Amino acid sequence: MDIQMPEMDGLEAARALRAQGGACAGVPIIAVTANAMASDRADCMDAGMNDFVAKPFKAADLRACMLRWLDPQTQPRAR
């Protein structure tokens, strides 16, 4: 999820998804942002996101991150 979106930013969108509960509560959310400070990562995790990819990134890096959360064999616990 892009952090800087119009109308509702990614942090607010993640919080809204998590607040819905049910199936939305377990959907993996990966933050995608140019803001790569440790505090930015912490803000994403606090909003309920599962992982973080900083721009610019390689497609292989995003794919590997997505696979970590979609493959039940390698899925880490929520952070």
Side-chain angles (χ1 to χ4, degrees):
M1 178 172 308
D2 195 339
I3 299 303
Q4 296 178 347
M5 299 186 300
E7 296 186 38
M8 178 185 282
D9 70 26
L11 299 175
E12 188 178 350
R15 288 185 194 104
L17 284 169
R18 295 301 187 223
Q20 288 182 20
C24 292
V27 172
I29 303 174
I30 300 168
V32 178
T33 181
N35 302 329
M37 303 285 289
S39 61
D40 298 312
R41 181 182 179 88
D43 289 344
C44 292
M45 299 303 113
D46 290 345
M49 296 185 182
N50 300 86
D51 218 325
F52 183 95
V53 176
K55 296 177 190 176
F57 57 85
K58 295 179 180 168
D61 295 335
L62 178 59
R63 183 176 191 280
C65 185
M66 291 170 63
L67 288 175
R68 278 196 301 271
W69 292 98
L70 297 177
D71 182 356
Q73 297 293 322
T74 62
Q75 190 173 43
R77 293 182 300 176
R79 296 177 190 177

